[in-house]
Amino acid sequence: MEFGMFHEFQWSPGQSETAAFEQSFEQVEAAERWGLDAMWLAELHVAPYRSVLAAPLAVGAAIAARTSRIKIGTAVQVLPLCHPLRLAEEAATVDHISRGRLIFGVGRSGFPRTYEAYGIPYAESRERFSEVLAILKLAWTEERFSYQGRYHSFDKITLVPKPYQKPHPPIRIAATSADTYPVIGALGHPIFVAARIGTLSELAPLVRSYRAAYQAAGHPGKGEVYLRVPVYVAETAERARDEPEESLMRLYRQTGAGLEGSAKTAKALTTEERELAERAERAARAERLQNVTYEEALRDKIIVGTPGQVTDRLRELQAELSLDGILAELNGGSLIPHALVMNALRLLCQEVMPQFK
C-alpha cells in the first residue's frame, strides 16, 4: 500500500507566511528521510490563516530540488481555473526536474468562492474540467495537436517540454459527488476518495460503483483507490485522541461553513438540475459538519491512535475498500504544533508503514 502525506502548507494564526513555508518544508524533508512514499500538495486560494499553498506545481518543483526519492503529487490541481497549455508546460517541467516523480492529481473543487475570485462561473466547472483534461493529454502525447472546444481552441500546437514520464505522469482524479465515481471509472483513471464531508462507512458502495464502471469499460486491473483521511499517531491512545481535537474540530467547522456558502452561491448561479441536487446535498452535509461532535468524528471520519491502533484501522479499511494507498492528513485544521506533526509523521513512517510493506 502506498503511504502519502496530504499537505496544505498550513498557516496558523499568529504565524508568518515565511514560517509556514519553512515548517512545511522541514516536514517534507523529514518525510523523505523517513521513507514516506509520496507528498501530496493541496491547491488552496484566498484562505488566510489556513494555507499558503496556492501554487502546488511551484512548490512541487522546490520539493523536487530538495529531495531525490519521494513522489510528488498534486491533490488536487483544480483544472477549471487553469489555462491548459500553461498547466501542461509547468507540470511537464516539474516532471523533468523531479526525474519522473510527479503524480498528477486533478479535480474541480466543490467551493465556488475560489471560482468567484478567479472570475470563472462555477456552473462551467464540469465542462471546463473535461476540456482541460483532454487538452493536457493531447499536449503531452501528440507531437502537434489541434482542439476545438467551448472554452479553449488551439490550432497545430507543439508543446515543449513533453513530460519525462511516458506517455505522461500518472493521472488520478478526485471524486466530488456520487455521480462522479462511475464517470471516473469509465475514463479508466485511479481515484481519490475522502471522508471530510461524509463518513468512512459511506465510501464502500461509491467505490463499488467506480470499479463496476471501470471494469465495464474494459480497462485492465480493478481500478486503483486512494483514500485521503485525517490521521494522527501518538505513543499513547490518550495523546492521540486529545492532541488533535481542537484542530480537527476547527477543520470541520471551517469545511461546514465553506460548504454552506458554496451551496447558497451555486443555488443563485445555476439552474441545472444536477448541479442543484449536488448543492442541496452539500448544504445538508454542511449542517451536519457544523454540528458534528468529536466522538462522531472519531468513530467514522478520522483515524487516530497508537501505531498499533492506526495499523489495525488501516487494515480494516484496506480490506473493506481494497485500498491502494492513503493520503494521511496529519494537520487537519492547521492548529497542531509543528513538533507534534513531526512526531506523528515519524511514527507513521517508522512504525505503521512497515506493517504494510
Side-chain angles (χ1 to χ4, degrees):
M1 187 161 78
E2 178 188 274
F3 276 75
M5 178 180 179
F6 175 77
H7 215 310
E8 293 186 354
F9 273 51
Q10 283 82 3
W11 181 21
S12 302
Q15 185 184 44
S16 70
E17 294 178 353
T18 299
F21 278 108
E22 289 175 349
Q23 287 190 354
S24 295
F25 279 122
E26 186 177 341
Q27 292 166 16
V28 170
E29 290 165 356
E32 163 92 351
R33 292 194 307 273
W34 292 332
L36 193 72
D37 296 320
M39 184 60 61
W40 292 95
L41 303 174
E43 179 186 349
L44 295 166
H45 302 281
V46 293
Y49 298 110
R50 175 181 173 183
S51 169
V52 293
L53 187 43
L57 287 174
V59 171
I63 292 173
R66 291 166 178 257
T67 61
S68 61
R69 179 200 54 79
I70 197 168
K71 295 282 187 179
I72 302 161
T74 55
V76 292
Q77 186 79 51
V78 183
L79 294 191
L81 302 181
C82 302
H83 188 284
L85 288 188
R86 182 63 178 267
L87 181 59
E89 292 166 341
E90 292 185 355
T93 299
V94 174
D95 201 36
H96 276 278
I97 293 171
S98 67
R99 298 196 61 83
R101 288 185 281 142
L102 179 65
I103 306 173
F104 199 59
V106 299
R108 62 186 183 95
S109 175
F111 295 97
R113 182 183 177 191
T114 300
Y115 285 78
E116 292 173 21
Y118 272 60
I120 296 174
Y122 186 73
E124 298 174 359
S125 64
R126 286 178 185 264
E127 287 187 347
R128 285 182 176 272
F129 176 89
S130 297
E131 278 199 16
V132 174
L133 184 59
I135 292 164
L136 288 173
K137 292 178 181 178
L138 289 171
W140 285 338
T141 58
E142 301 293 330
E143 180 62 28
R144 178 173 295 186
F145 79 96
S146 297
Y147 183 90
Q148 298 295 319
R150 180 175 179 181
Y151 303 105
H152 303 284
S153 296
F154 303 103
D155 184 41
K156 299 177 182 178
I157 297 295
T158 298
L159 183 95
V160 177
K162 295 289 194 260
Y164 181 92
Q165 299 176 83
K166 304 303 180 188
H168 51 69
I171 295 172
R172 300 180 189 175
I173 302 180
T176 55
S177 57
D179 65 324
T180 59
Y181 282 77
V183 171
I184 300 170
L187 289 173
H189 290 293
I191 195 170
F192 294 122
V193 302
R196 178 178 282 188
I197 64 174
T199 64
L200 293 167
S201 61
E202 293 173 343
L203 292 176
L206 297 172
V207 169
R208 284 196 295 271
S209 72
Y210 158 74
R211 286 202 164 114
Y214 184 97
Q215 293 171 357
H219 300 296
K222 61 181 176 58
E224 297 175 5
V225 174
Y226 297 86
L227 172 66
R228 192 187 89 194
V229 60
V231 176
Y232 192 77
V233 197
E235 285 81 359
T236 69
E238 183 178 19
R239 282 184 55 196
R241 173 194 167 91
D242 294 344
E243 288 174 354
E245 180 177 359
E246 179 186 5
S247 190
L248 288 172
M249 294 310 292
R250 180 185 191 235
L251 168 68
Y252 292 123
R253 301 297 179 251
Q254 285 182 329
T255 304
L259 286 173
E260 182 179 36
S262 74
K264 291 178 180 177
T265 300
K267 185 176 181 180
L269 292 178
T270 183
T271 58
E272 186 177 343
E273 185 175 345
R274 179 175 60 178
E275 293 286 353
L276 288 173
E278 182 181 329
R279 298 284 75 78
E281 173 62 20
R282 285 180 176 269
R285 289 184 183 276
E287 183 177 359
R288 292 197 293 271
L289 275 180
Q290 293 187 80
N291 293 286
V292 71
T293 67
Y294 193 49
E295 291 297 328
E296 292 170 334
L298 288 168
R299 282 197 300 271
D300 207 18
K301 296 179 76 66
I302 62 179
I303 302 172
V304 303
T306 64
Q309 290 172 326
V310 170
T311 297
D312 290 344
R313 181 62 175 132
L314 286 175
R315 288 198 188 282
E316 292 173 359
L317 289 168
Q318 186 182 36
E320 183 178 354
L321 302 174
S322 188
L323 284 180
D324 296 278
I326 65 163
L327 294 71
E329 190 171 0
L330 297 180
N331 190 10
S334 307
L335 297 180
I336 302 174
H338 172 61
L340 295 182
V341 175
M342 290 284 280
N343 188 57
L345 175 60
R346 179 184 61 82
L347 293 173
L348 180 71
C349 292
Q350 296 182 350
E351 300 196 26
V352 178
M353 275 181 56
Q355 307 306 313
F356 294 84
K357 300 300 184 180

